[in-house]
Amino acid sequence: MIINYISMQNFQCFYGHHESNKVAFSDGINVIIGDNGHGKSKLWNAFYWALYDQIFDSDRERFVTTPQSEESIFSDRAKKECAVEEFVKAEIKLEVVDSRGERFEIYRTLKAKKLDDRNWEVAPTSKLLIRRYKVTQWQAVNESEHPSILERVLPGHLKPYMWFQGEQVNSLMDFQNTTSLTQAIQLLSDITDYDQLVEITRDGTHKSANALRTEQKRLSSDSSKSEDIERKVIAKQKELEDEERDRESNTKNKEAAEIGFDGLLNSISDAEKRAENKASLDSLTNKRDTNVQQLDSKIQALNKKLFSSHWVLKGCEPSITDFSGKYTKFLEYHYQKAALDKIAESQLPVDVPQPIFVNKMLADEACFVCGHLAPKGSDEYKHISGLLDRKIQSSTTFKNDCSSLFKKLYDNTTEYKNVILGIDSSISEEFSLMAKLRSEISSDNKSIEDINKSFGELVEKDQSENIIKEFRRHKKSLEDYQDAIYVNNININQITDELERLKQQTEKLVVGSPNKAVEATADIFNKLFELALSTRGLVFSNLVKDLEKSANDIYQSMAERNRSVIGRLNLRIMDSKTCFPEIVDSDGNSLAGSNDSNIRLVKLALMMAVLKSRSTWSQNYCLVSDAPTSKMSRNYSEGFYEALGKNFRQSIVITFDFVTETKKSDIKINNLGKVYKLNSVIPDGDRTKRDDLYTEIKELDL
Amino acid sequence: MANRNEILNNFINNEELYELSGLSPESLNDISFNPDPAGDVLVESLKKLIHSYCKGEAKITVIKNINIEIERIYRP
C-alpha cells in the first residue's frame, strides 16, 4: 500500500498530540532530514511499531517487542507531565491506501499508569485498531481481518527488502554468502513454484516406478527371484540417494571454494609480489635494525674504548721519549750521587769527638786531639765551639728518592709503547667499521623507503600472506571437491547401470503383458521430472539474466554521477542452481577492492532490481528506509535517490543527507515528494534534560 | 503463486519437451488447458500437473490426477 501519512502522539521523542507530530507523504521520494539525535530513528521506529509491534532498541542493538521495550515507548516529557495515578498514552496513526483506492487507518496504542515518580505500570500489550473508509465515514475493521490488512500494507516476504535500515543492506545482500541472493530470488520470484513442480514429479517418478515393479512382480515367472531383485533394487536406490546427496553437498562446497578461489584470483599475483617484497622488507628491516643496534653500542662504547683500548694515550709518544731521555739522565745523576755517598762514608762520624769532650776542651781552652792551645776567643776556640752545633747527618744519600716511581713509570711507558703506536690504527679501524655500518643503514633505509613508497600503506596493512594462505586453501578445497564429485559421478553411473541391469532382469521374468497404463505412468513421470528440472533451470537462468540487466541499469544510473565507479554486476549461476553476485570489469574478471560506497550502491541496485522484477511491487508498495546512504559520499547518495525516484512510485527516506539545506529547492533530486526536517528541542537548551524534550517536524518549502 | 499460463508457456518453450515427446514446436502453438482427448500423453500429463498444482492441490492429489489422466488415455 501507499502511505498517506503517519502521526505520533507521545511516542518516544515525539511529545504532544497527533496534530503536532504529523508527517504527510506524496508520491515520489519523501525525505525526512535530521541531524544525529534529532529523532530520525524514532520516526523509523514509529513506522515499525505501528505495523509490527516492535521498536529498534539502540542500546541493545536489536528489535524488541512492546513488553520488552517497557516504558521507552513513551515520551519522557509526557511521562514527566503525567500525574501520579494518571495514564500516559503513546499512539501511532498510519493512513494507507491500496491499489484500488481503499483507505485504512491503522492505530497502535500503548498506555501506562504512573505509580510514583519512578515506577510505571505499563499495559502488557499494545492495542491495534484498524479502520476502513467506507463511502463517507471510517468504520472499524474486525480484528480477524487485521493480519491480512497488515500483510497488504507490506507483504511479509517484501518487508526485509522494502523496509530496511542502511546497516541491514550488507546482510540482506551478502556477497560472501553463496545463498544470500538466491534466497532473495526465491522469496521474491515464482521460482519456488518450479521447485515444487520438480519435487512433485520426482515423487511421482518414485511412486510410479514402485507401482511398475509391483506389477512386474505380479507377472513374474519366478517370484522368489523377483523378490531378490526387488531387495537389491531398494538397496541400490538407497545407495544412489546417498551418493546423490553426497554429490550435492560436495557441489555446494565446491561452489563456495570456487567463489573464494575466483575472488582471490586477481589478488593473488599482486599478493605474491607483495609477499616477496614483504619478505625483502622484513629481512632488510631486521638487518638495518641489527646494524643500528651495533652502531649504537659502538658509539656508546667509545668512552670505554678510551681506556680499554688505551686511546686516551694517543699523542703521548713525544712525552714518553722526553721522559725516557730525562729518566736516563736522572739515572746517571743518581748513580753519580750514590758513588759520592760511598766516599763520604769513609770520613769521621759526626759525633766524634763527643760533645762531652768538646765542652771539656772548651773549658780547658785546648784541643785534646792535636794538643794545641785554644784560648777563648781564638780561631781554634771558635772551631772547637762550632763542633757543638754539628747536626747528625742522614745516613741515606737522597732525602726524597723517586727513583723507584720513575722506574715504574719508565717500565710502564716501555710496556705501552707498542700499544700507543697501534692506537691510531685501532681508532681508524673502529671508525671505519662505524662508517661501514652507517653506510649499510643508510642504504637499507633507502631500500625500505623504496619498497614502502611503491606499496604505500599496503605493506603495513599487508594481508598478502593471509591472501596466499587463503588462496591455497580454496585451491586445495576446490581440487578436493572436484575429485570427490568425479568419484560421486562414477559411483552414480555404476549404480544407475546396476539398476538398469536389475530392471532388465525383472522384465525378463515377466510373463504376459503388464498393465500399459502402469508402464506408461512410470515413463511419463520420468519424462515430467526431467522436463520440470530443465524448465526450472531455464526459468531461473532467465530470471537471473533479467535481474542482472535490471540491476546493472539501476547501478549505472546510480553511478553516473560518480566518475570513479567502475565495473558491473555479474550474477553467476552455480552448478547447484544457486546464484552468486560479483562485481566484474569489462572482461568479466572479478574486481577486488571496490570501495564500501560502491559495494553498498551495487547491493541497493540489486535489491531494487529484485523488487522491480514485479512491477506491481514497486508501484503498489512504499519503500521505507532509515539511513540507506549512511556510508556514501554525496555523489553516490544522489545516484541512489535518482534510481529510487525512477523505479518506485513512493519511497520514504530518513536521512542525514541534505541536513544543511533549508529549502526544498536546494535538494536536486528528480521526482522529489515532500521534505521534512526534524529538530529536537529542549526549551532551556540543557540537552541533559531529556524530560523536557519535544521534536519539531517542519516541512521545507520551495 | 505464478500464473498457470506463464508456467505452461515456460514448459512449452523448453526444447527438451520436443525431444521427450517427439512433437514439433508448431504442434504446440495453440496449446491450452482444455483437455484434448487426442493429445499427446506427455503434454496432457504436463497440463494436468500444472493445472492441478496451480489450483493449490496437495502433492499427493497432483500425482493422483496425473495417474488418472494417463489411465484415461490408456484405458482400452
Side-chain angles (χ1 to χ4, degrees):
Chain A
M1 291 192 201
I2 295 300
I3 300 174
N4 284 347
Y5 69 83
I6 186 169
S7 67
M8 291 73 66
Q9 177 183 316
N10 294 332
F11 176 81
Q12 298 206 305
C13 63
F14 298 100
Y15 164 78
H17 293 287
H18 285 287
E19 296 72 36
S20 52
N21 294 305
K22 183 175 175 181
V23 191
F25 305 106
S26 63
D27 280 3
I29 309 170
N30 296 276
V31 184
I32 321 283
I33 305 163
D35 210 337
N36 292 330
H38 283 252
K40 296 193 302 294
S41 298
K42 303 290 185 267
L43 181 64
W44 161 263
N45 267 346
F47 281 105
Y48 216 83
W49 191 59
L51 288 195
Y52 304 110
D53 200 16
Q54 289 180 352
I55 58 167
F56 188 78
D57 185 329
S58 48
D59 292 338
R60 287 181 264 187
E61 290 191 337
R62 62 183 174 86
F63 284 97
V64 293
T65 58
T66 299
Q68 290 169 327
S69 67
E70 297 166 344
E71 69 262 32
S72 69
I73 293 278
F74 303 96
S75 148
D76 287 334
R77 188 167 177 172
K79 284 198 294 183
K80 184 185 155 193
E81 290 176 1
C82 180
V84 174
E85 293 297 312
E86 292 294 317
F87 286 88
V88 65
K89 182 172 96 170
E91 187 174 72
I92 305 293
K93 186 174 165 189
L94 194 65
E95 188 184 293
V96 293
V97 56
D98 72 9
S99 55
R100 291 171 299 181
E102 197 171 21
R103 283 157 64 199
F104 295 91
E105 276 182 345
I106 298 166
Y107 293 82
R108 185 164 304 269
T109 311
L110 184 70
K111 282 185 179 178
K113 183 181 179 185
K114 191 172 189 174
L115 302 175
D116 55 45
D117 279 345
R118 299 174 71 178
N119 295 302
W120 292 83
E121 190 186 325
V122 184
T125 54
S126 64
K127 279 193 176 163
L128 181 69
L129 169 72
I130 300 181
R131 301 198 305 171
R132 179 188 276 119
Y133 193 75
K134 279 222 166 169
V135 194
T136 56
Q137 58 179 337
W138 291 100
Q139 289 179 358
V141 169
N142 195 304
E143 266 186 46
S144 62
E145 271 190 75
H146 287 181
S148 69
I149 291 174
L150 292 180
E151 179 72 6
R152 280 171 64 195
V153 174
L154 186 66
H157 64 290
L158 295 183
K159 178 185 145 196
Y161 304 95
M162 289 201 85
W163 282 35
F164 60 88
Q165 288 176 302
E167 286 76 17
Q168 292 175 306
V169 174
N170 280 339
S171 54
L172 283 170
M173 286 290 161
D174 182 0
F175 280 17
Q176 301 306 312
N177 182 343
T178 52
T179 56
S180 175
L181 177 61
T182 311
Q183 278 168 358
I185 292 174
Q186 280 170 347
L187 271 174
L188 304 173
S189 74
D190 296 329
I191 196 69
T192 44
D193 289 330
Y194 295 87
D195 288 330
Q196 289 292 317
L197 290 170
V198 170
E199 274 311 299
I200 292 169
T201 51
R202 191 202 307 270
D203 227 29
T205 305
H206 288 151
K207 283 188 165 64
S208 58
N210 287 342
L212 179 61
R213 275 203 308 281
T214 308
E215 171 71 0
Q216 285 168 336
K217 231 166 40 181
R218 186 179 66 79
L219 299 169
S220 174
S221 58
D222 184 342
S223 58
S224 90
K225 200 170 179 184
S226 290
E227 289 283 346
D228 186 42
I229 294 171
E230 171 82 8
R231 273 193 296 275
K232 283 181 185 167
V233 166
I234 291 168
K236 282 286 161 198
Q237 276 175 339
K238 170 84 177 55
E239 226 176 285
L240 185 64
E241 278 170 23
D242 290 346
E243 202 64 41
E244 280 175 342
R245 234 191 324 268
D246 195 31
R247 181 172 65 178
E248 196 179 326
S249 150
N250 284 330
T251 304
K252 277 182 184 162
N253 288 331
K254 189 202 89 178
E255 284 167 0
E258 205 168 49
I259 286 162
F261 181 82
D262 286 357
L264 291 171
L265 204 56
N266 286 345
S267 323
I268 194 70
S269 61
D270 287 348
E272 275 172 346
K273 253 185 239 164
R274 283 202 299 273
E276 274 172 31
N277 278 287
K278 174 106 177 15
S280 309
L281 188 72
D282 288 347
S283 142
L284 276 171
T285 310
N286 283 340
K287 185 170 154 246
R288 191 265 320 265
D289 291 348
T290 311
N291 283 342
V292 167
Q293 270 180 359
Q294 267 189 343
L295 183 62
D296 282 350
S297 55
K298 278 193 181 299
I299 291 168
Q300 279 171 10
L302 281 180
N303 289 341
K304 286 182 189 167
K305 282 233 171 207
L306 279 175
F307 299 96
S308 64
S309 298
H310 315 294
W311 290 357
V312 72
L313 299 176
K314 180 180 159 48
C316 287
E317 299 100 301
S319 307
I320 287 170
T321 310
D322 191 28
F323 175 72
S324 186
K326 283 181 178 171
Y327 182 65
T328 309
K329 277 184 185 167
F330 167 80
L331 272 184
E332 280 171 16
Y333 179 74
H334 194 272
Y335 287 140
Q336 282 171 9
K337 188 86 173 127
L340 284 173
D341 274 1
K342 278 211 168 171
I343 295 165
E345 267 174 23
S346 61
Q347 293 177 349
L348 280 173
V350 78
D351 52 353
V352 174
Q354 288 180 358
I356 188 167
F357 294 109
V358 173
N359 287 329
K360 184 91 172 100
M361 283 191 279
L362 288 173
D364 291 347
E365 295 184 6
C367 173
F368 296 164
V369 179
C370 63
H372 283 90
L373 290 174
K376 202 171 184 177
S378 66
D379 287 344
E380 288 83 1
Y381 185 89
K382 283 178 189 170
H383 180 75
I384 294 167
S385 168
L387 290 174
L388 286 173
D389 297 331
R390 289 176 304 177
K391 299 238 169 93
I392 297 171
Q393 288 183 348
S394 162
S395 62
T396 54
T397 308
F398 306 102
K399 205 173 181 180
N400 294 306
D401 189 357
C402 297
S403 58
S404 62
L405 175 67
F406 292 154
K407 184 178 185 308
K408 203 173 173 185
L409 278 172
Y410 180 75
D411 288 347
N412 280 345
T413 51
T414 312
E415 187 189 324
Y416 280 105
K417 199 163 184 179
N418 287 335
V419 175
I420 290 165
L421 286 174
I423 284 175
D424 278 348
S425 66
S426 161
I427 291 175
S428 151
E429 195 181 316
E430 189 67 14
F431 276 83
S432 90
L433 199 58
M434 282 164 58
K436 193 181 163 208
L437 285 173
R438 279 202 184 92
S439 149
E440 277 184 24
I441 290 167
S442 160
S443 152
D444 290 345
N445 275 340
K446 175 84 177 58
S447 307
I448 289 168
E449 196 185 324
D450 286 348
I451 294 177
N452 279 335
K453 212 179 273 177
S454 64
F455 286 91
E457 287 187 343
L458 202 57
V459 174
E460 255 182 276
K461 298 173 185 169
D462 193 37
Q463 295 293 317
S464 313
E465 285 168 20
N466 291 341
I467 290 175
I468 291 170
K469 271 187 205 159
E470 193 72 353
F471 180 79
R472 287 183 184 143
R473 190 176 67 78
H474 285 310
K475 193 173 175 222
K476 173 85 173 55
S477 299
L478 186 60
E479 286 165 358
D480 287 349
Y481 287 120
Q482 277 170 338
D483 289 348
I485 292 166
Y486 180 72
V487 172
N488 288 141
N489 285 337
I490 291 175
N491 290 343
I492 286 168
N493 285 341
Q494 279 176 350
I495 298 167
T496 312
D497 288 349
E498 183 66 15
L499 279 168
E500 184 57 30
R501 201 175 54 77
L502 290 168
K503 189 180 159 195
Q504 284 168 6
Q505 281 180 9
T506 309
E507 282 169 0
K508 276 183 191 163
L509 292 173
V510 171
V511 179
S513 305
N515 184 325
K516 290 279 177 209
V518 175
E519 273 187 326
T521 308
D523 178 49
I524 295 296
F525 266 112
N526 229 345
K527 287 176 177 170
L528 282 176
F529 173 59
E530 274 182 51
L531 200 55
L533 204 58
S534 78
T535 307
R536 190 266 180 211
L538 280 175
V539 170
F540 187 72
S541 155
N542 287 334
L543 194 66
V544 171
K545 220 181 283 172
D546 291 346
L547 198 60
E548 185 182 283
K549 188 184 175 309
S550 173
N552 272 314
D553 287 348
I554 296 172
Y555 173 51
Q556 292 308 325
S557 139
M558 280 177 166
E560 66 189 11
R561 294 181 188 223
N562 193 313
R563 289 179 190 170
S564 69
V565 175
I566 47 167
R568 66 180 175 83
L569 184 70
N570 180 48
L571 303 182
R572 200 193 325 171
I573 296 177
M574 314 300 286
D575 291 351
S576 61
K577 312 291 183 292
T578 56
C579 168
F580 178 72
E582 57 187 359
I583 304 170
V584 296
D585 63 17
S586 52
D587 297 325
N589 299 317
S590 178
L591 272 180
S594 225
N595 66 57
D596 284 350
S597 293
N598 194 28
I599 291 172
R600 171 80 71 89
L601 211 58
V602 171
K603 290 180 175 187
L604 284 168
L606 199 48
M607 275 170 63
M608 285 190 200
V610 172
L611 292 167
K612 232 188 96 182
S613 63
R614 293 284 182 81
S615 58
T616 51
W617 292 339
S618 51
Q619 287 309 303
N620 293 342
Y621 302 110
C622 176
L623 185 144
V624 184
S625 180
D626 179 19
T629 58
S630 62
K631 277 191 172 180
M632 296 182 189
S633 68
R634 184 68 178 253
N635 284 343
Y636 283 104
S637 302
E638 285 174 352
F640 166 74
Y641 291 113
E642 196 70 42
L644 201 58
K646 275 186 200 165
N647 294 292
F648 288 84
R649 177 181 158 191
Q650 186 191 46
S651 55
I652 298 170
V653 179
I654 304 166
T655 179
F656 179 79
D657 295 334
F658 320 112
V659 77
T660 54
E661 318 297 21
T662 51
K663 283 189 294 183
K664 188 177 166 184
S665 52
D666 293 335
I667 301 170
K668 309 288 181 211
I669 296 176
N670 291 326
N671 199 15
L672 191 62
K674 289 186 178 283
V675 181
Y676 294 89
K677 203 166 218 177
L678 301 181
N679 185 30
S680 66
V681 182
I682 295 176
D684 65 4
D686 182 356
R687 297 198 72 81
T688 58
K689 290 185 179 172
R690 304 289 297 173
D691 54 7
D692 278 344
L693 183 144
Y694 66 93
T695 303
E696 271 181 357
I697 302 172
K698 186 183 165 199
E699 185 176 356
L700 293 194
D701 302 324
L702 283 172
Chain B
M1 191 177 291
N3 177 292
R4 65 180 188 181
N5 289 315
E6 191 187 317
I7 296 181
L8 184 61
N9 261 335
N10 282 326
F11 272 88
I12 286 169
N13 289 330
N14 183 356
E15 285 179 8
E16 193 152 348
L17 177 62
Y18 313 126
E19 286 169 25
L20 290 168
S21 66
L23 296 169
S24 66
E26 297 74 33
S27 63
L28 294 169
N29 271 350
D30 301 321
I31 195 166
S32 76
F33 280 99
N34 294 330
D36 179 2
D40 175 79
V41 62
L42 180 61
V43 174
E44 291 306 303
S45 304
L46 177 64
K47 279 158 57 176
K48 189 55 83 181
L49 166 73
I50 296 167
H51 184 263
S52 184
Y53 170 75
C54 288
K55 266 170 74 182
E57 288 176 331
K59 193 200 278 187
I60 190 78
T61 315
V62 178
I63 293 171
K64 197 175 152 195
N65 286 339
I66 297 169
N67 279 331
I68 292 169
E69 180 64 21
I70 296 169
E71 271 177 27
R72 185 192 62 76
I73 293 169
Y74 280 88
R75 195 176 295 144

